[in-house]
Amino acid sequence: MDKNYFDKPVKIEDSRFRYDAFKDGKVLYGKKHFPPMGWNSWNAFGSGNTEELTKAMADRIVELGLDKLGYQYVVLDDGCYGAERIDGHVEGDSVKFPGGFMAMSDYIHGKGLKFGMYNDIGSRLCSGLEVGTCGYEDVDTADYIKWGVDFIKVDNCYNVWDNATFSDPENARFTFAPGIKKIVLENGQEKIELSAVKDGIITGSRAYKEGEYIVGIGTFDGTAPDASPIGELSSELRFKVNVETEGEYDLTVICKTGKTEGIGSWLQAAVGEGEKTEIFYDDLVEVSDDKTEPIKIKLAAGENLLRLMNHRRQENTLTSYARIQEGFAKTGSDRDIVFSICEWGKTHPHNWGYKVGDTWRILNDITFQVGSDGDSGHASWEGAYTTSVTAQYNKAVIMDEFAGLDRGWNDPDMLMIGMDGLTETMNKTHMTMWCMMNAPLMLGMDLRNVTAGDAVYNIITNDELIALNQDELGVQAKRIYTTKAVAPDTTYIRDNDRLDVLAKPLMDGSIALSFINVGMGDRPDTLSIKPNLIMEYLSGKMVDAESFAGAERYEVKDLWSKEKKIYDAKEINEKGFTVSSIKANDNVTLRITPIYD
């Protein structure tokens, strides 16, 4: 490996990996898949997973008939590798996986299931083992192809160029621009001085004024639940520059550099935007007497848009994940591999993840209290941080516009059904939320504790809920109503004392409508959702909106109680689809099918 590989991020030569290309809708690598279903070892066993336990889980998937419902991927998470590379290759932990990964793959495939593995774009795995894929992308992807991998989950710990989990906090120098006070433009004939605070224009929501400086020019850390996923989450400082003469100018930036959250040392300087963007500087800056060395830029006569920014937090992460997909492409294999991006929403992958992945995690782990052999681990319905069902739901539920068959899926992490801490009601609503939101359905329990016909089994095998998740139309549900009286589809709400209504269009022309009590108390409210409200939010996403609106009757089936009723359309148009008195953490989920005589 090149000894300078870890000095700083690679130069980005391809504009398709740039921030300005995030909204172009162009997929760079990979075939898109429906939300994956299966079992992942982490919530059940943490780093204590073994070959024996994994075989037992594969056996149970088949014994319980879960495979027939779509649960097909068996994924080894962190803790399966040996402590170091052998001749540059990763190998299985010789105690936990004595048979090796090829034998593990053969066993799982022999069951008619699919084999998944794990790695990290950093120098180490989250467990600390120094076998991260950074710098070894070609080697590792060739090995994964050899082992017959069908699914790969790739984490973001020890990110070499970001202050990610367990990384050097001083790596913030790569992810933020310097604090900027002023710019000077000169070409020998003209000299223009512009104040960052008085003349600059801040875009996005990350940057802010601090005295005479604009600081925080970079990207919000999305790992915590604080920032809404909606809006421009990476800021720039822009100037409208008028010059008399076309040609080359020296740009000097008066600034202060740093290595902390908000003030870094990496600067991007560009003129223009979109496809017309020309980047003139993209590197760490050296500052003397609070001034950068002159940066050569080109300006046209008249008005120019000068942009000072640092989008490298997102661009670097996209590039790192793309290297793995490039590695798979280099093998020449046509193996169909689901690519799961697991960087916990840190760089807002809902903006760029579709370019290289099938799914992208939206927050940190849903639980940090994972299980072990004989211990089921602990789950929470709500909590102050990300470790709960509702923390994940509250963010994912307003991210529907970022998902789809042509993009991929928001991933609010693995299901915690079957872990301690959740009631049967909570488990049912947890399942409903994930199915309505097209989230991956990755079981995270010890399946030896599940018996056919028990409460957990009945929840994870609700085929009509699974059908919503796997519906061929591939549209994530949209929240069309909430008792918080805000814009329901775009407002990030963390106060759980509320009722939500989600609507999801389906391929056969039906609508799934889910009434959810997010809070911990019973609600006496009566909610009535009329067809015109559904149409207001979903008409452009429905197979045949006019036919739904013009139905003569509606068949309404409760997907949990299985109760089915027929309603006259006139009654529904007047009174709406009505649900009353939802218990704490409970839901009522309906499949509404239009009927024509």
Side-chain angles (χ1 to χ4, degrees):
M1 186 193 306
D2 183 351
K3 65 180 181 179
N4 298 318
Y5 189 86
F6 297 119
D7 287 351
K8 61 182 179 181
V10 296
K11 185 177 181 180
I12 298 177
E13 304 281 3
D14 191 334
S15 63
R16 297 179 302 165
F17 294 90
R18 292 291 188 184
Y19 179 81
D20 283 19
F22 287 180
K23 296 180 181 179
D24 66 11
K26 297 178 181 177
V27 174
L28 302 178
Y29 294 97
K31 171 188 174 183
K32 296 302 176 185
H33 302 80
F34 283 93
M37 299 173 60
W39 176 87
N40 179 290
S41 65
W42 186 252
N43 283 357
F45 306 123
S47 291
N49 187 39
T50 65
E51 180 178 305
E52 181 181 0
L53 287 170
T54 305
K55 288 181 177 179
M57 297 305 106
D59 292 346
R60 288 301 287 162
I61 288 174
V62 175
E63 290 165 3
L64 292 167
L66 300 179
D67 55 328
K68 294 179 175 60
L69 292 167
Y71 295 100
Q72 56 182 331
Y73 294 97
V74 178
V75 181
L76 306 182
D77 210 293
D78 201 354
C80 61
Y81 293 111
E84 58 187 20
R85 289 177 178 269
I86 306 298
D87 297 328
H89 295 262
V90 291
E91 293 189 359
D93 182 295
S94 59
V95 174
K96 298 178 188 175
F97 291 86
F101 292 139
M102 191 70 254
M104 189 80 264
S105 176
D106 288 343
Y107 188 89
I108 291 169
H109 287 139
K111 291 283 181 179
L113 303 173
K114 295 185 177 181
F115 179 47
M117 292 194 69
Y118 164 94
N119 209 303
D120 192 294
I121 62 170
S123 57
R124 303 181 185 186
L125 309 182
C126 293
S127 60
L129 300 182
E130 296 186 23
V131 294
T133 198
C134 185
Y136 293 92
E137 293 88 353
D138 289 356
V139 173
D140 291 346
T141 49
D143 284 340
Y144 293 138
I145 292 295
K146 179 180 69 176
W147 294 326
V149 164
D150 306 293
F151 180 109
I152 185 75
K153 172 184 173 181
V154 188
D155 230 323
N156 187 39
C157 293
Y158 296 98
N159 189 317
V160 182
W161 302 295
D162 198 351
N163 52 336
T165 298
F166 308 128
S167 297
D168 185 346
E170 290 189 358
N171 283 344
R173 69 187 183 276
F174 296 120
T175 59
F176 289 96
I180 298 174
K181 180 179 182 180
K182 184 170 66 174
I183 64 169
V184 180
L185 289 162
E186 299 178 89
N187 72 342
Q189 300 173 20
E190 295 181 77
K191 181 177 181 180
I192 299 171
E193 296 190 15
L194 296 172
S195 163
V197 170
K198 295 179 181 179
D199 303 308
I201 303 166
I202 296 175
T203 65
S205 55
R206 179 64 180 87
Y208 57 95
K209 299 175 183 178
E210 188 178 86
E212 297 181 273
Y213 289 85
I214 302 295
V215 300
I217 303 171
T219 304
F220 267 117
D221 185 339
T223 303
D226 304 312
S228 170
I230 306 299
E232 293 293 334
L233 302 170
S234 189
S235 287
E236 299 182 2
L237 178 60
R238 295 183 170 195
F239 297 90
K240 291 182 179 179
V241 179
N242 281 283
V243 297
E244 296 180 1
T245 309
E246 178 179 352
E248 191 171 76
Y249 285 75
D250 284 338
L251 166 66
T252 302
V253 182
I254 314 303
C255 62
K256 55 182 178 182
T257 59
K259 299 179 181 180
T260 60
E261 185 80 11
I263 298 182
S265 302
W266 192 287
L267 181 67
Q268 294 174 314
V271 175
E273 61 182 331
E275 294 182 355
K276 296 181 180 179
T277 301
E278 188 169 3
I279 295 178
F280 294 99
Y281 191 85
D282 185 17
D283 208 336
L284 293 168
V285 294
E286 296 291 337
V287 173
S288 177
D289 296 327
D290 295 332
K291 297 181 180 179
T292 64
E293 290 293 317
I295 299 169
K296 300 291 185 182
I297 67 171
K298 293 179 181 178
L299 299 175
E303 185 175 273
N304 298 263
L305 179 62
L306 174 62
R307 301 161 61 192
L308 300 181
M309 54 200 180
N310 185 354
H311 296 305
R312 276 291 197 152
R313 172 170 268 172
Q314 293 178 301
E315 293 171 347
N316 290 345
T317 312
L318 167 59
T319 301
S320 293
Y321 281 103
R323 283 196 197 121
I324 298 171
Q325 289 284 42
E326 289 168 358
F328 282 128
K330 288 176 184 177
T331 67
S333 171
D334 60 357
R335 190 164 192 82
D336 188 16
I337 300 174
V338 173
F339 193 81
S340 172
I341 294 170
C342 182
E343 57 77 88
W344 341 296
K346 187 177 188 69
T347 67
H348 312 287
H350 56 285
N351 290 320
W352 55 262
Y354 74 94
K355 290 186 170 293
V356 295
D358 292 289
T359 67
W360 44 86
R361 281 272 299 279
I362 64 158
L363 277 177
N364 215 321
D365 291 6
I366 196 169
T367 179
F368 294 133
Q369 297 176 275
V370 300
S372 60
D373 189 2
D375 176 8
S376 64
H378 187 81
S380 298
W381 177 257
E382 61 180 10
Y385 199 59
T386 63
T387 52
S388 68
V389 172
T390 55
Q392 301 282 338
Y393 165 78
N394 287 340
K395 187 172 183 181
V397 74
I398 58 171
M399 298 174 68
D400 56 288
E401 294 294 341
F402 300 100
L405 291 175
D406 58 341
R407 291 178 63 90
W409 314 105
N410 300 302
D411 181 2
D413 206 6
M414 291 166 279
L415 292 165
M416 298 193 292
I417 297 167
M419 300 178 73
D420 288 341
L422 298 181
T423 66
E424 181 179 344
T425 298
M426 291 173 180
N427 283 332
K428 287 170 59 180
T429 303
H430 182 12
M431 183 72 174
T432 295
M433 290 170 166
W434 265 233
C435 287
M436 289 290 285
M437 296 190 301
N438 286 83
L441 299 181
M442 300 301 291
L443 302 172
M445 72 192 80
D446 184 340
L447 293 171
R448 294 172 300 180
N449 297 328
V450 181
T451 302
D454 69 14
V456 167
Y457 175 87
N458 290 339
I459 290 169
I460 64 175
T461 61
N462 186 323
D463 57 346
E464 293 187 278
L465 261 294
I466 292 171
L468 304 184
N469 181 267
Q470 298 290 304
D471 184 76
E472 292 184 357
L473 192 60
V475 176
Q476 177 178 326
K478 183 180 287 290
R479 184 169 63 191
I480 65 172
Y481 179 81
T482 176
T483 52
K484 284 301 178 185
V486 294
D489 60 331
T490 57
T491 304
Y492 186 27
I493 311 171
R494 295 176 62 194
D495 179 357
N496 291 334
D497 184 18
R498 68 181 199 273
L499 298 174
D500 286 351
V501 180
L502 278 57
K504 178 178 173 58
L506 304 171
M507 179 60 86
D508 69 351
S510 300
I511 292 289
L513 197 64
S514 188
F515 299 76
I516 298 174
N517 184 348
V518 187
M520 298 297 292
D522 296 350
R523 298 283 302 224
D525 314 51
T526 295
L527 298 183
S528 295
I529 302 299
K530 296 181 179 180
N532 62 353
L533 182 64
I534 296 173
M535 299 287 293
E536 177 183 340
Y537 283 96
L538 294 185
S539 61
K541 299 176 180 292
M542 297 169 67
V543 171
D544 189 346
E546 290 185 6
S547 295
F548 183 85
E552 297 183 7
R553 290 176 294 162
Y554 293 99
E555 178 188 277
V556 179
K557 183 175 184 180
D558 187 315
L559 300 187
W560 285 110
S561 72
K562 308 303 182 183
E563 183 181 8
K564 188 186 298 185
K565 293 182 179 180
I566 304 292
Y567 293 91
D568 183 76
K570 183 178 179 180
E571 176 187 358
I572 292 298
N573 285 322
E574 290 177 357
K575 298 180 180 179
F577 302 102
T578 302
V579 173
S580 299
S581 301
I582 305 178
K583 297 291 186 180
N585 321 127
D586 207 350
N587 77 99
V588 176
T589 300
L590 310 173
R591 184 165 185 145
I592 301 166
T593 305
I595 298 175
Y596 320 98
D597 292 331

